[in-house]
Amino acid sequence: MSQPTLLSVNRALATEIKIGGRPVMTGIHKRPVDGPVAVRPLGLDGDEQADLSVHGGLSKAVYAYPSEHYPFWQTVRAQAKAAEWNAALPHGAMGENLTIAGLLESQVWIGDLLKFPNCTLAVSEPRFPCFKFNAAMGFNQAVKLMSANGWCGFYLAVREPGTVTAGEAFEVIPGPREVGIGELFRAKIKR
């Protein structure tokens, strides 16, 4: 396996959107930023999560998503008529802070460390999509598709604060390797 790479660092402030006619606060509309971004125990500088009961906090400070899944989402959004066929999804579109390449959910276990040049993050749990993901993707089957495929990405706790910068390679340092991200995601989704 080649060394995984951080393609994009993404952040957003929480904003109000309408879902089903009612106002909802969300921080899902992340956009790429240039240069180094500080990573602190509760996440990236300049980033917010709106519902701390499901996103954010010490164990879910940073959200990583594999870029390898982006072509699938581009295609299903076009099939659902939520976007044009050639409309590329910008990094951050899944609500992730870190768009990564070379590391899929099936290759990650709880407790693994992602060691960046100036920061270390620990894999803590899979992301479980909520109704806001449907709104972000523009069609009502997005949560079901994420659940069916297990393409959930994963949350990270900050072990060593520092900075991350798009383009950096990072190392995966194995943890205890007892519970995989995909395994935990499927077990909780079946409940």
Side-chain angles (χ1 to χ4, degrees):
M1 178 175 91
S2 63
Q3 191 166 19
T5 304
L6 175 57
L7 298 180
S8 181
V9 179
N10 316 296
R11 61 188 182 190
L13 297 177
T15 58
E16 185 178 286
I17 63 170
K18 293 225 186 259
I19 299 177
R22 64 183 178 109
V24 177
M25 291 298 291
T26 183
I28 199 168
H29 299 293
K30 311 265 187 242
R31 292 294 175 251
V33 295
D34 293 326
V37 176
V39 181
R40 303 191 193 286
L42 291 175
L44 303 182
D45 273 3
D47 186 60
E48 292 181 334
Q49 298 88 21
D51 184 352
L52 296 178
S53 69
V54 290
H55 306 292
L58 292 172
S59 68
K60 296 180 278 188
V62 178
Y63 173 43
Y65 195 80
S67 62
E68 288 83 354
H69 306 321
Y70 265 72
F72 168 82
W73 292 109
Q74 183 175 333
T75 299
V76 296
R77 289 182 77 239
Q79 289 172 329
K81 297 182 176 28
E84 297 295 322
W85 280 98
N86 59 353
L89 279 171
H91 290 155
M94 302 300 127
E96 80 274 18
N97 298 114
L98 308 179
T99 310
I100 59 173
L103 186 64
L104 301 174
E105 294 88 347
S106 61
Q107 300 167 308
V108 182
W109 286 261
I110 304 301
D112 283 356
L113 299 178
L114 277 52
K115 183 149 185 56
F116 294 86
N118 300 302
C119 176
T120 302
L121 307 174
V123 176
S124 58
E125 63 183 89
R127 178 238 192 134
F128 296 97
C130 67
F131 69 100
K132 295 175 187 178
F133 184 64
N134 283 343
M137 289 291 98
F139 67 104
N140 287 330
Q141 299 301 312
V143 169
K144 287 183 181 180
L145 286 171
M146 182 178 273
S147 299
N149 289 296
W151 293 343
C152 55
F154 44 91
Y155 281 113
L156 302 156
V158 179
R159 281 283 175 87
E160 294 176 14
T163 61
V164 289
T165 305
E168 293 178 329
F170 61 93
E171 178 185 359
V172 178
I173 300 170
R177 297 281 167 113
E178 294 167 349
V179 180
I181 285 293
E183 173 187 12
L184 183 56
F185 182 78
R186 287 186 297 279
K188 285 192 175 183
I189 287 295
K190 287 181 182 176
R191 286 186 201 171

PDB file of all heavy atoms in Angstrom, residues 57-79:
ATOM      1  N   GLY A  57     -16.729  17.162  19.981  1.00  0.00           N
ATOM      2  CA  GLY A  57     -16.284  16.689  21.283  1.00  0.00           C
ATOM      3  C   GLY A  57     -14.891  16.082  21.176  1.00  0.00           C
ATOM      4  O   GLY A  57     -14.307  16.004  20.095  1.00  0.00           O
ATOM      5  N   LEU A  58     -14.361  15.643  22.288  1.00  0.00           N
ATOM      6  CA  LEU A  58     -12.991  15.125  22.306  1.00  0.00           C
ATOM      7  C   LEU A  58     -12.801  13.881  21.449  1.00  0.00           C
ATOM      8  O   LEU A  58     -11.778  13.728  20.789  1.00  0.00           O
ATOM      9  CB  LEU A  58     -12.554  14.841  23.750  1.00  0.00           C
ATOM     10  CG  LEU A  58     -12.368  16.074  24.640  1.00  0.00           C
ATOM     11  CD1 LEU A  58     -12.132  15.661  26.086  1.00  0.00           C
ATOM     12  CD2 LEU A  58     -11.222  16.937  24.120  1.00  0.00           C
ATOM     13  N   SER A  59     -13.763  12.959  21.454  1.00  0.00           N
ATOM     14  CA  SER A  59     -13.584  11.713  20.695  1.00  0.00           C
ATOM     15  C   SER A  59     -13.947  11.858  19.217  1.00  0.00           C
ATOM     16  O   SER A  59     -13.563  11.025  18.407  1.00  0.00           O
ATOM     17  CB  SER A  59     -14.382  10.568  21.319  1.00  0.00           C
ATOM     18  OG  SER A  59     -15.764  10.797  21.168  1.00  0.00           O
ATOM     19  N   LYS A  60     -14.678  12.897  18.868  1.00  0.00           N
ATOM     20  CA  LYS A  60     -15.088  13.119  17.475  1.00  0.00           C
ATOM     21  C   LYS A  60     -14.678  14.521  17.034  1.00  0.00           C
ATOM     22  O   LYS A  60     -15.451  15.253  16.434  1.00  0.00           O
ATOM     23  CB  LYS A  60     -16.598  12.919  17.332  1.00  0.00           C
ATOM     24  CG  LYS A  60     -17.047  11.498  17.633  1.00  0.00           C
ATOM     25  CD  LYS A  60     -18.529  11.316  17.477  1.00  0.00           C
ATOM     26  CE  LYS A  60     -19.242  11.791  18.712  1.00  0.00           C
ATOM     27  NZ  LYS A  60     -20.668  11.487  18.735  1.00  0.00           N
ATOM     28  N   ALA A  61     -13.432  14.870  17.318  1.00  0.00           N
ATOM     29  CA  ALA A  61     -12.943  16.224  17.055  1.00  0.00           C
ATOM     30  C   ALA A  61     -12.735  16.493  15.576  1.00  0.00           C
ATOM     31  O   ALA A  61     -12.939  17.602  15.101  1.00  0.00           O
ATOM     32  CB  ALA A  61     -11.640  16.455  17.813  1.00  0.00           C
ATOM     33  N   VAL A  62     -12.317  15.468  14.835  1.00  0.00           N
ATOM     34  CA  VAL A  62     -11.977  15.613  13.417  1.00  0.00           C
ATOM     35  C   VAL A  62     -12.609  14.452  12.663  1.00  0.00           C
ATOM     36  O   VAL A  62     -12.601  13.317  13.136  1.00  0.00           O
ATOM     37  CB  VAL A  62     -10.437  15.618  13.227  1.00  0.00           C
ATOM     38  CG1 VAL A  62     -10.062  15.728  11.759  1.00  0.00           C
ATOM     39  CG2 VAL A  62      -9.789  16.739  14.026  1.00  0.00           C
ATOM     40  N   TYR A  63     -13.138  14.738  11.475  1.00  0.00           N
ATOM     41  CA  TYR A  63     -13.788  13.716  10.658  1.00  0.00           C
ATOM     42  C   TYR A  63     -13.012  13.544   9.360  1.00  0.00           C
ATOM     43  O   TYR A  63     -12.763  14.512   8.641  1.00  0.00           O
ATOM     44  CB  TYR A  63     -15.246  14.126  10.391  1.00  0.00           C
ATOM     45  CG  TYR A  63     -16.002  13.255   9.433  1.00  0.00           C
ATOM     46  CD1 TYR A  63     -15.917  11.870   9.464  1.00  0.00           C
ATOM     47  CD2 TYR A  63     -16.830  13.829   8.474  1.00  0.00           C
ATOM     48  CE1 TYR A  63     -16.627  11.080   8.576  1.00  0.00           C
ATOM     49  CE2 TYR A  63     -17.553  13.050   7.586  1.00  0.00           C
ATOM     50  CZ  TYR A  63     -17.448  11.678   7.642  1.00  0.00           C
ATOM     51  OH  TYR A  63     -18.162  10.899   6.765  1.00  0.00           O
ATOM     52  N   ALA A  64     -12.612  12.302   9.066  1.00  0.00           N
ATOM     53  CA  ALA A  64     -11.867  11.983   7.841  1.00  0.00           C
ATOM     54  C   ALA A  64     -12.739  11.150   6.905  1.00  0.00           C
ATOM     55  O   ALA A  64     -13.505  10.291   7.357  1.00  0.00           O
ATOM     56  CB  ALA A  64     -10.597  11.207   8.182  1.00  0.00           C
ATOM     57  N   TYR A  65     -12.609  11.420   5.602  1.00  0.00           N
ATOM     58  CA  TYR A  65     -13.399  10.684   4.609  1.00  0.00           C
ATOM     59  C   TYR A  65     -12.516  10.332   3.400  1.00  0.00           C
ATOM     60  O   TYR A  65     -11.818  11.205   2.877  1.00  0.00           O
ATOM     61  CB  TYR A  65     -14.613  11.507   4.145  1.00  0.00           C
ATOM     62  CG  TYR A  65     -15.623  10.671   3.417  1.00  0.00           C
ATOM     63  CD1 TYR A  65     -16.517   9.877   4.113  1.00  0.00           C
ATOM     64  CD2 TYR A  65     -15.667  10.647   2.032  1.00  0.00           C
ATOM     65  CE1 TYR A  65     -17.442   9.079   3.446  1.00  0.00           C
ATOM     66  CE2 TYR A  65     -16.587   9.854   1.358  1.00  0.00           C
ATOM     67  CZ  TYR A  65     -17.473   9.072   2.077  1.00  0.00           C
ATOM     68  OH  TYR A  65     -18.376   8.279   1.424  1.00  0.00           O
ATOM     69  N   PRO A  66     -12.575   9.075   2.941  1.00  0.00           N
ATOM     70  CA  PRO A  66     -11.769   8.651   1.790  1.00  0.00           C
ATOM     71  C   PRO A  66     -12.271   9.246   0.471  1.00  0.00           C
ATOM     72  O   PRO A  66     -13.450   9.125   0.126  1.00  0.00           O
ATOM     73  CB  PRO A  66     -11.928   7.124   1.774  1.00  0.00           C
ATOM     74  CG  PRO A  66     -12.389   6.760   3.155  1.00  0.00           C
ATOM     75  CD  PRO A  66     -13.217   7.928   3.605  1.00  0.00           C
ATOM     76  N   SER A  67     -11.352   9.828  -0.267  1.00  0.00           N
ATOM     77  CA  SER A  67     -11.696  10.421  -1.573  1.00  0.00           C
ATOM     78  C   SER A  67     -12.115   9.365  -2.585  1.00  0.00           C
ATOM     79  O   SER A  67     -12.807   9.683  -3.554  1.00  0.00           O
ATOM     80  CB  SER A  67     -10.503  11.199  -2.117  1.00  0.00           C
ATOM     81  OG  SER A  67      -9.401  10.326  -2.337  1.00  0.00           O
ATOM     82  N   GLU A  68     -11.734   8.137  -2.354  1.00  0.00           N
ATOM     83  CA  GLU A  68     -12.058   7.052  -3.289  1.00  0.00           C
ATOM     84  C   GLU A  68     -13.563   6.871  -3.468  1.00  0.00           C
ATOM     85  O   GLU A  68     -14.010   6.317  -4.482  1.00  0.00           O
ATOM     86  CB  GLU A  68     -11.427   5.732  -2.814  1.00  0.00           C
ATOM     87  CG  GLU A  68      -9.927   5.675  -2.963  1.00  0.00           C
ATOM     88  CD  GLU A  68      -9.142   6.332  -1.815  1.00  0.00           C
ATOM     89  OE1 GLU A  68      -9.759   6.964  -0.913  1.00  0.00           O
ATOM     90  OE2 GLU A  68      -7.905   6.225  -1.828  1.00  0.00           O
ATOM     91  N   HIS A  69     -14.366   7.328  -2.513  1.00  0.00           N
ATOM     92  CA  HIS A  69     -15.826   7.198  -2.609  1.00  0.00           C
ATOM     93  C   HIS A  69     -16.487   8.339  -3.373  1.00  0.00           C
ATOM     94  O   HIS A  69     -17.675   8.268  -3.710  1.00  0.00           O
ATOM     95  CB  HIS A  69     -16.453   7.107  -1.216  1.00  0.00           C
ATOM     96  CG  HIS A  69     -15.887   6.026  -0.353  1.00  0.00           C
ATOM     97  ND1 HIS A  69     -15.527   4.781  -0.816  1.00  0.00           N
ATOM     98  CD2 HIS A  69     -15.618   6.019   0.978  1.00  0.00           C
ATOM     99  CE1 HIS A  69     -15.068   4.047   0.181  1.00  0.00           C
ATOM    100  NE2 HIS A  69     -15.110   4.781   1.277  1.00  0.00           N
ATOM    101  N   TYR A  70     -15.763   9.401  -3.636  1.00  0.00           N
ATOM    102  CA  TYR A  70     -16.346  10.570  -4.295  1.00  0.00           C
ATOM    103  C   TYR A  70     -16.970  10.276  -5.662  1.00  0.00           C
ATOM    104  O   TYR A  70     -18.062  10.782  -5.951  1.00  0.00           O
ATOM    105  CB  TYR A  70     -15.321  11.702  -4.386  1.00  0.00           C
ATOM    106  CG  TYR A  70     -15.431  12.688  -3.243  1.00  0.00           C
ATOM    107  CD1 TYR A  70     -15.029  12.346  -1.952  1.00  0.00           C
ATOM    108  CD2 TYR A  70     -15.947  13.954  -3.445  1.00  0.00           C
ATOM    109  CE1 TYR A  70     -15.129  13.244  -0.910  1.00  0.00           C
ATOM    110  CE2 TYR A  70     -16.050  14.863  -2.406  1.00  0.00           C
ATOM    111  CZ  TYR A  70     -15.650  14.499  -1.138  1.00  0.00           C
ATOM    112  OH  TYR A  70     -15.764  15.392  -0.105  1.00  0.00           O
ATOM    113  N   PRO A  71     -16.353   9.472  -6.537  1.00  0.00           N
ATOM    114  CA  PRO A  71     -16.998   9.185  -7.833  1.00  0.00           C
ATOM    115  C   PRO A  71     -18.380   8.542  -7.685  1.00  0.00           C
ATOM    116  O   PRO A  71     -19.307   8.849  -8.443  1.00  0.00           O
ATOM    117  CB  PRO A  71     -16.011   8.250  -8.535  1.00  0.00           C
ATOM    118  CG  PRO A  71     -14.680   8.610  -7.945  1.00  0.00           C
ATOM    119  CD  PRO A  71     -14.979   8.923  -6.494  1.00  0.00           C
ATOM    120  N   PHE A  72     -18.531   7.659  -6.699  1.00  0.00           N
ATOM    121  CA  PHE A  72     -19.838   7.044  -6.431  1.00  0.00           C
ATOM    122  C   PHE A  72     -20.875   8.117  -6.101  1.00  0.00           C
ATOM    123  O   PHE A  72     -21.972   8.137  -6.666  1.00  0.00           O
ATOM    124  CB  PHE A  72     -19.723   6.045  -5.281  1.00  0.00           C
ATOM    125  CG  PHE A  72     -21.048   5.575  -4.754  1.00  0.00           C
ATOM    126  CD1 PHE A  72     -21.734   4.558  -5.401  1.00  0.00           C
ATOM    127  CD2 PHE A  72     -21.622   6.153  -3.624  1.00  0.00           C
ATOM    128  CE1 PHE A  72     -22.973   4.129  -4.922  1.00  0.00           C
ATOM    129  CE2 PHE A  72     -22.847   5.727  -3.144  1.00  0.00           C
ATOM    130  CZ  PHE A  72     -23.526   4.713  -3.796  1.00  0.00           C
ATOM    131  N   TRP A  73     -20.530   9.029  -5.187  1.00  0.00           N
ATOM    132  CA  TRP A  73     -21.490  10.064  -4.780  1.00  0.00           C
ATOM    133  C   TRP A  73     -21.806  11.014  -5.928  1.00  0.00           C
ATOM    134  O   TRP A  73     -22.945  11.456  -6.079  1.00  0.00           O
ATOM    135  CB  TRP A  73     -20.977  10.834  -3.559  1.00  0.00           C
ATOM    136  CG  TRP A  73     -20.949   9.966  -2.343  1.00  0.00           C
ATOM    137  CD1 TRP A  73     -19.850   9.470  -1.697  1.00  0.00           C
ATOM    138  CD2 TRP A  73     -22.085   9.427  -1.662  1.00  0.00           C
ATOM    139  NE1 TRP A  73     -20.242   8.681  -0.650  1.00  0.00           N
ATOM    140  CE2 TRP A  73     -21.606   8.634  -0.600  1.00  0.00           C
ATOM    141  CE3 TRP A  73     -23.461   9.537  -1.836  1.00  0.00           C
ATOM    142  CZ2 TRP A  73     -22.458   7.963   0.286  1.00  0.00           C
ATOM    143  CZ3 TRP A  73     -24.308   8.876  -0.955  1.00  0.00           C
ATOM    144  CH2 TRP A  73     -23.801   8.097   0.071  1.00  0.00           C
ATOM    145  N   GLN A  74     -20.837  11.305  -6.748  1.00  0.00           N
ATOM    146  CA  GLN A  74     -21.089  12.157  -7.917  1.00  0.00           C
ATOM    147  C   GLN A  74     -22.101  11.482  -8.841  1.00  0.00           C
ATOM    148  O   GLN A  74     -23.050  12.122  -9.315  1.00  0.00           O
ATOM    149  CB  GLN A  74     -19.784  12.425  -8.660  1.00  0.00           C
ATOM    150  CG  GLN A  74     -19.967  13.359  -9.851  1.00  0.00           C
ATOM    151  CD  GLN A  74     -18.632  13.710 -10.503  1.00  0.00           C
ATOM    152  OE1 GLN A  74     -17.593  13.710  -9.867  1.00  0.00           O
ATOM    153  NE2 GLN A  74     -18.684  14.021 -11.782  1.00  0.00           N
ATOM    154  N   THR A  75     -21.942  10.182  -9.061  1.00  0.00           N
ATOM    155  CA  THR A  75     -22.846   9.437  -9.941  1.00  0.00           C
ATOM    156  C   THR A  75     -24.257   9.348  -9.371  1.00  0.00           C
ATOM    157  O   THR A  75     -25.238   9.623 -10.073  1.00  0.00           O
ATOM    158  CB  THR A  75     -22.292   8.026 -10.213  1.00  0.00           C
ATOM    159  OG1 THR A  75     -21.030   8.154 -10.866  1.00  0.00           O
ATOM    160  CG2 THR A  75     -23.244   7.209 -11.077  1.00  0.00           C
ATOM    161  N   VAL A  76     -24.392   8.972  -8.093  1.00  0.00           N
ATOM    162  CA  VAL A  76     -25.744   8.813  -7.539  1.00  0.00           C
ATOM    163  C   VAL A  76     -26.460  10.156  -7.391  1.00  0.00           C
ATOM    164  O   VAL A  76     -27.684  10.214  -7.530  1.00  0.00           O
ATOM    165  CB  VAL A  76     -25.766   8.012  -6.211  1.00  0.00           C
ATOM    166  CG1 VAL A  76     -25.293   6.590  -6.440  1.00  0.00           C
ATOM    167  CG2 VAL A  76     -24.979   8.686  -5.115  1.00  0.00           C
ATOM    168  N   ARG A  77     -25.720  11.230  -7.166  1.00  0.00           N
ATOM    169  CA  ARG A  77     -26.353  12.554  -7.136  1.00  0.00           C
ATOM    170  C   ARG A  77     -26.906  12.895  -8.524  1.00  0.00           C
ATOM    171  O   ARG A  77     -28.007  13.453  -8.637  1.00  0.00           O
ATOM    172  CB  ARG A  77     -25.365  13.619  -6.674  1.00  0.00           C
ATOM    173  CG  ARG A  77     -25.038  13.513  -5.192  1.00  0.00           C
ATOM    174  CD  ARG A  77     -24.098  14.597  -4.706  1.00  0.00           C
ATOM    175  NE  ARG A  77     -24.871  15.829  -4.551  1.00  0.00           N
ATOM    176  CZ  ARG A  77     -24.606  16.968  -5.189  1.00  0.00           C
ATOM    177  NH1 ARG A  77     -23.597  17.065  -6.023  1.00  0.00           N
ATOM    178  NH2 ARG A  77     -25.352  18.032  -4.984  1.00  0.00           N
ATOM    179  N   ALA A  78     -26.173  12.562  -9.556  1.00  0.00           N
ATOM    180  CA  ALA A  78     -26.665  12.807 -10.915  1.00  0.00           C
ATOM    181  C   ALA A  78     -27.879  11.930 -11.217  1.00  0.00           C
ATOM    182  O   ALA A  78     -28.862  12.397 -11.797  1.00  0.00           O
ATOM    183  CB  ALA A  78     -25.553  12.561 -11.926  1.00  0.00           C
ATOM    184  N   GLN A  79     -27.833  10.665 -10.812  1.00  0.00           N
ATOM    185  CA  GLN A  79     -28.978   9.765 -11.026  1.00  0.00           C
ATOM    186  C   GLN A  79     -30.224  10.265 -10.304  1.00  0.00           C
ATOM    187  O   GLN A  79     -31.338  10.113 -10.806  1.00  0.00           O
ATOM    188  CB  GLN A  79     -28.635   8.349 -10.546  1.00  0.00           C
ATOM    189  CG  GLN A  79     -27.635   7.640 -11.428  1.00  0.00           C
ATOM    190  CD  GLN A  79     -27.172   6.321 -10.833  1.00  0.00           C
ATOM    191  OE1 GLN A  79     -27.112   6.155  -9.612  1.00  0.00           O
ATOM    192  NE2 GLN A  79     -26.845   5.384 -11.703  1.00  0.00           N
TER     193      GLN A  79
END
